[in-house]
Amino acid sequence: MKDTVIQLLEAAIAALQAEGVLPQDQAFKLNVDSTRDKAHGDFATNIALVTAKAAGKPPRQLADLLIEKLPESSAVAKVEIAGPGFINFFMSDASSFDIVNTVRSAADGFGLNNSGAGESVQIEFVSANPTGPLHVGHGRGAAIGDCLARLLEANGYKVTREFYYNDAGAQIDNLALSVQARIKGISPDDDLWPKDGYRGDYIQDAANAYLEKATVTADDREVTAKGDADDLAAIKDFAVAYLRREQDLDLKAFGVKFDVYFLESSLYNEGKVEKTVEALNANGFTYEKDNALWLKTTEFGDDKDRVMRKSDGGYTYFLPDVAYHLDKWQRGFSTVINEQGADHHSTVTRVRAGLQALKAGIPEGWPDYVLHQMVLVTRSGQEVKLSKRAGSYVTLRDLIDEVGRDATRFFLAARRVDSQLTFDIDLARSQTNENPVYYIQYAHARICSVLRKLQELGVDINAADFGSDLSGLALDEEREIANQLARYPELIANAARQREPHHLTHYLRELAGLFHTYYNAHKVLIDDTAVRDSRVALYLAVKQVLVNGLDLIGVSAPEEM
RNA sequence: GCGCCCGUAGCUCAGCUGGAUAGAGCAAUGGCCUUCUAAGCCAUGGGUCGCAGGUUCGAGUCCUGCCGGGCGCGCCA
C-alpha cells in the first residue's frame, strides 16, 4: 500500500522534473511514513519540504503542484496538504483492507522477501567455552542471535549458525584439574583444590559421571569416560564433552540449533594458526619485544599493539581469533555477524586489525558485530546473583525452568541490544496483561477459540472463498488493525537490515493490543453472516501475522490458554 | 586517565534513515464479566526527552562539551 503511494509520488516528481519545476539532474530521496495520527491520513511525505530549496518555491506551493501531477488511483481516497508542507494520503477502504487477502493468501510466507537473494550469511553467537553451563548473558546472545538468523532467513539469506569454542588452552586445563580434584574427593575449600578452579556443583556431577564411566553425547562429539583418576588427558576429553552436552541441553531447552560447531583446536591441528603468523610476519606487521611476538594493530586503529605469541611460546586467544575469521572469509561468507557480549568489545578493533594486516582482500569493517549489553536478573525487586549449579552466576536453564522457554526468549530479545537488560523474574512469570508474552499469546488463543466456535456452527473457514469479500469491514478498529498488518513486511526488512530484533516484540505487542481492543468492542459471531465472515477474515489475518512474528522470535502460539 | 554503550512519565522501555501537539505497558484513581476465554477492555491524571551550547525550515534523534551509570583497558577468553 505504501508502495502505491511511493509510485504515485515518483510519477509526480518525474512530471515536475519534465516541466523544469524540479531540477532534472538530481535524485530526490523519497520518504513516505506511516502516520502516527489518524488525522494525518494513512501515509505522509515530507518531499515538498525537502525539495523546496531546490525548486525555489515555498513547500506548500510545491506540494500543490505535486498533488496536481499525482496519477489517478482508486487506492487513494483523499490527499491533503498539512502543516508546513506535508502531503497526507488517505487510503480508500478497499485498498486498506486488501491486506487481509494478501496475508491470507501468502500465509506462512507473509512478510518474507527475497532481498538477500540466497546470499550466504554466517552468524556466530553464544560461543561459550565448555567450562560451565550457559548463563543469562549467553541466553541473551542466543535469543538475539537466533532471532537475527531467523530474520535474515525471512529476508532471503541463507544463514549458517555457528558456535565457536575454545577446547584447548588454559581455561580447559583448569577445567580438567577441577574435575580431577573432585574425582579425588577434594572440595573447593580444601588446601589441595586447584588455584582458580571451577567451584560449581556441575564439576562434581562431571566427576561422578567420569567415575561411572558414562558415555556422553553432545551435538559435536561423543566420549566415554575411562574412569582413571590419574589420566588427566582422558579427564579433559571427557569434561569437555560433558560440558558441551550440558550446553546442548541448555540450548535445546531454549530451542536454538547450530549448523556448525567450530573448535579452536582445529585451527592449530590444520596449521591455520601457523599460516596466519607467517602471513602477518611476511607483511611486516610484527615485531619481537620482551621475548614475545607483537602485531602492530595500532596501524589499523587500535590504541596499542597486541601480543600474539607469548614469551612462553603459546599464542594468545587473539591470534586464533584472526585465523578463525580468515577461515570464515575463505569459506565464502561475505557477510559475517558476530553476536557477543559487549564486555568483549575490545576484540572488535583487534580482530579487524589482524584481518587487515593479512592483506587478504578482506574489506575494512568486516566482520559485523552485534554486541549486547549486560543482563541483570531480579526477583522481588532484588538482584539475583547466584545459581546452585553454577555457583557464581544465574544459569539459562534456571531461568527456563522457572519462567518457561517462551517468556525467557521473548524477554531476552525484547530490548535494544545496546541497552542493559533487567530480567524481572516475577514479571516473566506473571500471567496477566503486564506480561507481554502472555498478552500476545492470549490474542492468538482468543482467535483460535472463536474459530472453534465457528466450526461448531458448521462454518467451513477453510473453504476456498471464505471471507474473501471484505465489504463487511468498515470500523476504525478494523482499519487500524489492517494498517498494522500492512506494516509487517517493512518491519521484517528493517529489523534484519538494522540487526535489531527487538522491533519484532514491540510490533507484536501493538498488534495484540489492537486486536484485544477490537475483540472487546465488537463481537464477531453475529447474525449478519456477511459482516461476520469479513471480520473472521480479519481475525485469520491477525492470527497469521501473530504466528509468523512469534515464530521469528522462537515463541509458541498456543491455541488455548 | 583513555575507549565503547546507556541516560525519555514513579517503574520497565519504544520512538523506524531528523518531521507535525513525545508513545506503550506497569504502578495510581474510577468503571466493564447471565454476552465469542476478564491471562481481557474503557476512562483519567502523570514529561524541562540528564545539563549546556551548536547545525536547520524543523532535533528525543545529528555535532561539541559537561554530569551520572555500565563495560573494557592482560603475554586471560
Side-chain angles (χ1 to χ4, degrees):
Chain A
M1 205 163 45
K2 183 169 173 176
D3 295 338
T4 310
V5 173
I6 290 174
Q7 281 165 19
L8 295 173
L9 280 165
E10 279 172 348
I13 291 169
L16 287 186
Q17 283 181 316
E19 290 183 6
V21 177
L22 288 172
Q24 298 186 20
D25 54 349
Q26 200 176 334
F28 296 100
K29 195 179 77 173
L30 191 50
N31 198 348
V32 176
D33 287 323
S34 304
T35 54
R36 211 179 298 162
D37 187 340
K38 277 182 296 191
H40 299 146
D42 296 303
F43 296 99
T45 181
N46 61 355
I47 189 69
L49 292 163
V50 176
T51 54
K53 199 170 274 180
K57 291 186 189 310
R60 288 189 67 105
Q61 190 188 333
L62 191 57
D64 254 330
L65 295 171
L66 277 163
I67 291 171
E68 271 177 36
K69 298 294 180 194
L70 284 175
E72 283 296 317
S73 168
S74 60
V76 178
K78 189 171 59 164
V79 182
E80 285 181 356
I81 301 175
F86 292 103
I87 303 176
N88 294 334
F89 290 83
F90 295 76
M91 310 305 281
S92 65
D93 272 4
S95 161
S96 295
F97 290 128
D98 192 47
I99 189 69
V100 172
N101 285 326
T102 305
V103 172
R104 290 183 61 204
S105 61
D108 289 347
F110 179 69
L112 308 187
N113 68 73
N114 195 32
S115 62
E119 187 197 329
S120 289
V121 173
Q122 188 221 50
I123 174 160
E124 180 205 330
F125 57 112
V126 184
S127 292
N129 284 340
T131 56
L134 299 181
H135 56 69
V136 233
H138 295 126
R140 189 174 190 189
I144 293 167
D146 192 51
C147 186
L148 220 42
R150 291 171 192 235
L151 277 167
L152 288 164
E153 285 167 346
N155 282 274
Y157 292 90
K158 188 175 176 307
V159 179
T160 299
R161 294 165 171 82
E162 188 151 320
F163 186 120
Y164 171 81
Y165 67 93
N166 172 347
D167 59 336
Q171 300 301 333
I172 298 298
D173 292 340
N174 192 7
L175 170 72
L177 289 170
S178 305
V179 173
Q180 187 181 43
R182 282 294 197 176
I183 288 170
K184 294 185 171 179
I186 300 165
S187 305
D189 294 323
D190 293 345
D191 292 342
L192 289 172
W193 184 256
K195 192 168 175 294
D196 300 323
Y198 293 100
R199 305 168 69 95
D201 288 357
Y202 62 92
I203 295 293
Q204 181 70 61
D205 297 341
N208 293 343
Y210 182 81
L211 286 171
E212 289 159 12
K213 301 189 179 177
T215 297
V216 297
T217 307
D219 267 351
D220 68 330
R221 58 179 60 206
E222 178 176 300
V223 173
T224 299
K226 283 178 71 175
D228 179 350
D230 294 317
D231 189 338
L232 192 58
I235 292 171
K236 184 196 283 190
D237 206 30
F238 179 78
V240 168
Y242 184 91
L243 285 162
R244 276 288 314 115
R245 187 192 58 175
E246 284 292 299
Q247 295 185 350
D248 280 348
L249 293 174
D250 295 344
L251 291 167
K252 198 160 288 171
F254 207 39
V256 174
K257 282 204 174 94
F258 287 88
D259 302 301
V260 177
Y261 285 86
F262 197 102
L263 277 60
E264 183 183 9
S265 61
S266 74
L267 294 166
Y268 290 98
N269 297 339
E270 294 167 24
K272 288 175 178 166
V273 174
E274 278 305 324
K275 272 187 193 152
T276 300
V277 176
E278 286 163 17
L280 294 171
N281 282 337
N283 289 343
F285 291 113
T286 62
Y287 60 91
E288 299 256 0
K289 191 180 89 179
D290 303 333
N291 283 326
L293 186 63
W294 296 67
L295 183 70
K296 296 180 192 170
T297 54
T298 48
E299 299 208 4
F300 303 95
D302 204 356
D303 56 354
K304 58 178 105 162
D305 290 340
R306 304 293 167 176
V307 170
M308 41 192 257
R309 191 173 60 219
K310 299 183 274 185
S311 52
D312 67 4
Y315 293 106
T316 61
Y317 71 94
F318 153 64
L319 189 63
D321 259 12
V322 174
Y324 174 44
H325 283 87
L326 175 63
D327 183 78
K328 289 184 182 182
W329 175 258
Q330 288 170 337
R331 275 187 275 159
F333 294 111
S334 55
T335 301
V336 163
I337 301 170
N338 291 333
E339 204 291 341
Q340 307 179 344
D343 52 340
H344 287 184
H345 77 258
S346 59
T347 65
V348 175
T349 310
R350 231 169 284 177
V351 167
R352 285 178 178 161
L355 290 170
Q356 289 307 303
L358 285 171
K359 302 276 181 209
I362 297 172
E364 258 180 81
W366 187 95
D368 289 350
Y369 280 84
V370 172
L371 303 176
H372 64 261
Q373 293 288 331
M374 304 293 98
V375 182
L376 180 76
V377 179
T378 63
R379 185 205 308 275
S380 312
Q382 298 290 311
E383 181 176 357
V384 183
K385 280 185 168 157
L386 303 180
S387 151
K388 177 89 170 61
R389 280 171 69 233
S392 58
Y393 53 80
V394 181
T395 67
L396 178 58
R397 197 101 62 90
D398 287 344
L399 221 46
I400 297 171
D401 287 347
E402 185 160 1
V403 310
R405 189 186 99 172
D406 284 345
T408 306
R409 279 193 84 131
F410 189 95
F411 274 65
L412 290 176
R415 300 282 180 256
R416 272 169 56 206
V417 297
D418 47 14
S419 66
Q420 293 170 47
L421 186 154
T422 302
F423 193 110
D424 182 336
I425 289 181
D426 304 312
L427 178 62
R429 292 189 61 166
S430 77
Q431 304 200 340
T432 65
N433 60 357
E434 58 191 273
N435 186 336
V437 185
Y438 288 101
Y439 184 85
I440 295 164
Q441 290 180 323
Y442 185 45
H444 181 264
R446 272 182 152 175
I447 292 170
C448 291
S449 174
V450 166
L451 299 181
R452 283 192 295 271
K453 286 277 193 310
L454 268 172
Q455 234 139 24
E456 287 167 20
L457 292 173
V459 178
D460 181 10
I461 57 169
N462 295 315
D465 60 345
F466 175 82
S468 58
D469 176 6
L470 299 171
S471 56
L473 298 177
L475 300 165
D476 282 345
E477 290 93 335
E478 292 163 346
R479 235 183 307 277
E480 285 198 48
I481 291 174
N483 288 341
Q484 179 77 355
L485 295 176
R487 264 180 227 127
Y488 183 74
E490 196 181 352
L491 171 92
I492 298 307
N494 285 341
R497 184 167 38 78
Q498 296 165 196
R499 271 110 220 223
E500 293 181 343
H502 72 280
H503 291 306
L504 209 39
T505 59
H506 286 274
Y507 172 88
L508 292 172
R509 180 66 176 72
E510 283 168 18
L511 177 59
L514 292 173
F515 173 76
H516 284 306
T517 296
Y518 177 50
Y519 178 93
N520 276 280
H522 306 283
K523 290 194 66 164
V524 60
L525 299 178
I526 52 177
D527 294 336
D528 183 337
T529 57
V531 173
R532 179 194 70 186
D533 291 356
S534 294
R535 290 182 178 178
V536 172
L538 183 62
Y539 271 42
L540 287 168
V542 171
K543 177 180 189 291
Q544 185 69 60
V545 173
L546 288 175
V547 167
N548 293 3
L550 286 172
D551 182 61
L552 289 175
I553 314 172
V555 173
S556 68
E559 305 205 341
E560 287 179 81
M561 292 176 73

